[in-house]
């Protein structure tokens, strides 16, 4: 079974600071990787996804993530955060075969101070 | 508009009562999922279904039951056997074959009083 670890539980940044949120997964086979975001009072939305190909993927709102297979990592980055990025961020993985339901990490709460 | 509708948004239940949460989708997705969200624990899979009339237990199925009689609908019943039912419940759907993400509803916040 797959599992996902998010190491940063609560991150506080000032506007214009750079962001990197860690995500590691454990699974021996091929996986699809996702970052979802949950803004206060809103539903879970997809930020970006990786299925195959270029390991550097770009998502909405200036976010990007890099898949490093040797490290089982899929870290989320943004060069300059804004107050509107305040939200909870979830890394998720699903196996390419078998149970295709997403397995989520515990989430990282990002607070951006103006 | 295509999407996933969960109802109600807020639900209060007395201890010892069963309660059913509704989830409807018009995305023509075969797969549907129920997750439970608790602070600091992320989303945990309760049940999922990849086809009508079939469903599988997720990681925390005890105290919950589901049905999948129609493609569009996947209701979740929180039974009195669920020891700690107060939580935020999220329903999602996706296609089964191919690479795609899951789409989520707005969620139902259940409080046991």
């Amino acid at each position: 079974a797959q599992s996902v670890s998010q190491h940063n539980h609560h991150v506080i940044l000032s506007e214009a600071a750079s962001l990197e949120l860690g995500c590691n997964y454990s699974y021996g086979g091929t996986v699809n990787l996702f970052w979802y975001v949950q803004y206060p009072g809103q539903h879970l939305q997809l930020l970006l996804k990786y299925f195959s190909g270029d390991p550097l993927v770009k998502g909405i709102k200036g976010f990007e993530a890099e898949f490093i297979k040797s490290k089982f990592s899929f870290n989320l980055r943004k060069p300059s955060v804004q107050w509107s990025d305040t939200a909870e961020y979830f890394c998720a993985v699903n196996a390419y075969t078998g149970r295709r339901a997403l397995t989520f990490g515990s989430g990282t709460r990002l607070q951006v101070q103006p | 508009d295509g999407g996933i509708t969960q109802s109600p948004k807020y639900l209060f239940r007395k201890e010892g009562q069963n309660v059913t949460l509704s989830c409807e989708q018009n995305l023509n997705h075969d797969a549907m999922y129920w997750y439970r969200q608790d602070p600091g624990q992320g989303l945990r899979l309760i049940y999922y279904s990849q086809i009508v009339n079939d469903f599988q237990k997720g990681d925390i199925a005890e105290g919950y039951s589901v049905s999948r009689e129609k493609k569009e609908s996947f209701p979740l019943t929180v039974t009195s056997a669920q020891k700690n039912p107060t939580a935020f419940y999220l329903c999602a759907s996706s296609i089964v074959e191919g690479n795609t993400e899951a789409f989520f509803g707005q969620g139902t916040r259940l409080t046991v009083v």
Side-chain angles (χ1 to χ4, degrees), chain B residues 61-83:
Chain B
E62 186 175 350
Y64 300 98
S65 66
V66 293
S67 63
R68 186 84 188 277
E69 296 175 4
K70 297 187 300 182
K71 187 176 184 177
E72 304 78 23
S73 178
F74 192 40
L76 173 74
T77 297
V78 185
T79 75
S80 56
Q82 168 49 231
K83 290 184 172 56

Side-chain angles (χ1 to χ4, degrees), chain B residues 44-66:
Chain B
R44 293 179 291 166
L45 183 67
I46 305 173
Y47 268 98
Y48 65 102
S49 167
Q50 293 188 306
I51 195 168
V52 174
N53 292 324
D54 187 49
F55 48 82
Q56 307 294 329
K57 291 183 179 180
D59 300 319
I60 56 164
E62 186 175 350
Y64 300 98
S65 66
V66 293

Side-chain angles (χ1 to χ4, degrees), chain A residues 36-95:
Chain A
Y36 282 83
V37 61
Q38 190 174 39
Y39 297 104
Q42 295 189 27
H43 65 278
L44 216 59
Q45 302 172 37
L46 182 71
L47 262 185
L48 48 77
K49 59 193 176 189
Y50 173 80
F51 295 144
S52 63
D54 189 343
L56 184 62
V57 293
K58 296 192 183 299
I60 60 172
K61 304 188 181 188
F63 286 91
E64 65 178 31
E66 184 175 13
F67 171 50
I68 304 179
K69 190 174 181 180
S70 61
K71 295 185 178 180
F72 296 90
S73 70
F74 190 55
N75 292 354
L76 181 71
R77 300 195 292 249
K78 186 170 184 179
S80 175
V81 295
Q82 301 172 315
W83 177 78
S84 58
D85 293 324
T86 295
E88 190 153 19
Y89 293 81
F90 295 95
C91 182
V93 60
N94 72 354

